Amino acid sequence: MARDGWVAERAREFDQLRGQKIAAWTGVEMALREETAAGGPQFEDPAVPCLQLLILGASLDDGTFVTIDTYQDDITWGLWRRRAASDYSADWAGMTGIYRMRTLSGLPTGEVDGVSTFLDEGVLAEVVLHIQGQSLLLMAGELYEYPQERLVFKRCDESVLVFTEPSAAESVDWVPERRELAQG
């Protein structure tokens, strides 16, 4: 399958969530900062308007599970959705360090009313899920920690960034700059 066809297939997989009912979300969260002055990793910062996840998992009301993570295409990363054989949380239970498994009760649940996919750099860079009247922006990206605890928001990178307020992504200084995206 040609590269464009492969990316189009990833978009179709997300579109198959339309009409599905999400019962619960879980995720393997990655720390924003590895080590703080207080010791240990930092997972939350009021200045960061998103979650940074290695894997996002959804339990569907029919008892099945899907995961959302990233794939690499040369030097860029995109999003993909996969059906999981089971809830993957047991694989990550008890993790310590810069990763932690958590239930994501702040994310919207219910029927997926709509799905919008967006391409950038030849990958599926962003997905917006419309769930019970709420929008959830998923983006391939990552936050990089620099000296003086400064965080840089990088697009098309290896984590799944989750914005419960999609407009908050517009206030972030992205590297490279976030621009008008092609709908997938």
Side-chain angles (χ1 to χ4, degrees):
M1 180 181 300
R3 179 175 167 221
D4 290 345
W6 193 87
V7 173
E9 182 60 28
R10 304 293 71 79
R12 280 190 291 277
E13 289 168 352
F14 275 103
D15 196 55
Q16 290 170 356
L17 287 173
R18 188 184 315 265
Q20 297 284 324
K21 291 185 180 143
I22 297 174
W25 294 97
T26 56
V28 177
E29 189 173 18
M30 187 172 136
L32 303 171
R33 295 178 177 90
E34 288 189 39
E35 190 70 33
T36 63
Q42 179 185 9
F43 289 93
E44 297 165 7
D45 183 327
V48 176
C50 62
L51 295 170
Q52 176 175 244
L53 304 173
L54 183 64
I55 302 169
L56 174 62
S59 301
L60 304 180
D61 74 336
D62 64 3
T64 61
F65 304 94
V66 296
T67 60
I68 299 166
D69 58 3
T70 57
Y71 65 89
Q72 186 174 12
D73 181 19
D74 198 19
I75 61 170
T76 58
W77 298 77
L79 297 170
W80 69 342
R81 188 216 100 177
R82 295 186 275 176
R83 187 163 296 281
S86 64
D87 180 359
Y88 63 95
S89 61
D91 298 338
W92 292 89
M95 286 297 291
T96 59
I98 66 166
Y99 297 107
R100 69 179 182 181
M101 182 72 202
R102 19 181 322 220
T103 299
L104 302 170
S105 57
L107 301 185
T109 57
E111 186 171 341
V112 178
D113 304 317
V115 178
S116 302
T117 55
F118 301 93
L119 308 177
D120 191 13
E121 300 291 328
V123 298
L124 183 56
E126 298 182 16
V127 174
V128 179
L129 300 177
H130 305 280
I131 304 166
Q132 298 288 121
Q134 297 178 33
S135 295
L136 186 66
L137 171 61
L138 310 176
M139 182 184 297
E142 191 156 328
L143 282 74
Y144 283 89
E145 180 181 9
Y146 283 87
Q148 290 80 42
E149 297 186 2
R150 186 173 71 98
L151 294 172
V152 172
F153 288 75
K154 178 103 170 40
R155 290 190 35 73
C156 296
D157 214 321
E158 60 190 300
S159 295
V160 179
L161 303 180
V162 179
F163 292 83
T164 55
E165 294 293 332
S167 62
E170 296 168 16
S171 64
V172 171
D173 291 327
W174 293 100
V175 177
E177 184 177 328
R178 188 172 181 230
R179 56 183 182 238
E180 187 76 27
L181 302 176
Q183 190 135 12

